[in-house]
Amino acid sequence: MIQPASLSDLPAFLCGHAHDAAAATGCTVVIAPEGGVCGVDVRGGGPATRETDLLKPENMIQAVHAVVLSGGSAFGLAASTGVMEELAERGIGFPVESARVPIVCGACLFDLLVGQNAHPDATMGRAAARAAFERKATEPLEEGNVGAGCGATVGKLLGGDRAMKAGLGICGLGMGDVVAVAIVAVNALGNVCESDGTWIAGCRGENGLVMDPLDALAELASRIQDDGSRAIPSEGPCPNTTIGLVLTNARITKAQATKVSSTVHDAYARTIKPVHTSGDGDTVFTFSSCEAEADYDLVAMLATEAMQGAVVRAVQTAQSAHGLPCARDIVAR
């Protein structure tokens, strides 16, 4: 029987946030002090990522020590440097003579247009790593306007002034000894819907309610026809991107972790519409401590369902900020 699960069921991983609420940016760090198997699948046209090539199954690195989700667009990749330095100072990483080399992967979302034009740096990355070490295993990790979700927004089809505040969500499921917990920062161009298709956050119409994205696209097409404006920038940073990871204790290979990440994108497609556009850099990591025997397909199914729940929680737990309403403020149609 499938049951709810939480990060406390995965003690091999340490999780922490750091953020600046006034600047509306932050980062979330997941650390595996003993190392873990990691895979990734990146979709959409505008990713900002670090060390994702080494996660390809054919490449030599077999263990990763941390995954960082960050705001700040490509600037936010600096947060991973701080995490790497913090881990090395704690003796975590591959030993190379007298040095330690932690493997730290990451992905960033674009939040520079919300709050202040600021971004996570190495200092903030260190702070998130320290928070992960200091957080008690039984203490829930915060959701909403925290960490990588601090400046996240959704529903930007008709511009930022019609968007809504989103954030970071967590959802976990387990079956027997196998656990999968999803963590995601939702910063999508599109809308977010419940499993029954009800729009709960996204582009707002003139009446202030959440629009069907097809109606928003029709309005956008009319604008393009009337004044020649573009739907999505053709070059430069993409102002969206949903970044998430699945943590599991299942004993899987690097290739299987990569395939789980690919399958979990189904959760994005179920809940975010449109998704994987040229203005998104949607990314999913799968990070495993490899402790429990498990069927690969079971892991992929649990992970996908958990991620679907996490995406919904990312908008349900968000709070209004910087002039943008949240799902709690809106009665969606």
Side-chain angles (χ1 to χ4, degrees), residues 114 152-153 160-165 204 319-326 329:
V114 180
T153 55
D161 59 336
R162 301 274 285 271
M164 289 178 61
K165 188 72 183 71
R204 290 171 291 132
Q319 297 179 1
S320 58
H322 305 285
L324 294 170
C326 63
D329 302 329

Side-chain angles (χ1 to χ4, degrees), residues 184-205:
V184 64
V186 180
N187 189 60
L189 176 72
N191 289 7
V192 175
C193 66
E194 290 268 25
S195 58
D196 64 1
T198 301
W199 303 113
I200 51 177
C203 185
R204 290 171 291 132

Side-chain angles (χ1 to χ4, degrees), residues 170-173 180-184 246 267 301-311:
I170 303 171
C171 180
L173 296 172
V181 177
I183 303 174
V184 64
V246 173
M301 287 186 284
L302 285 176
T304 302
E305 296 301 319
M307 183 60 77
Q308 183 170 347
V311 171

Side-chain angles (χ1 to χ4, degrees), residues 256-301:
Q256 289 173 327
T258 301
K259 187 59 177 174
V260 170
S261 295
S262 175
T263 303
V264 169
H265 273 284
D266 289 354
Y268 285 4
R270 293 175 191 169
T271 52
I272 303 170
K273 301 180 183 181
V275 72
H276 301 150
T277 72
S278 59
D280 291 281
D282 302 327
T283 301
V284 176
F285 294 93
T286 298
F287 201 7
S288 178
S289 58
C290 294
E291 299 166 285
E293 289 293 341
D295 176 77
Y296 157 75
D297 287 317
L298 170 63
V299 178
M301 287 186 284

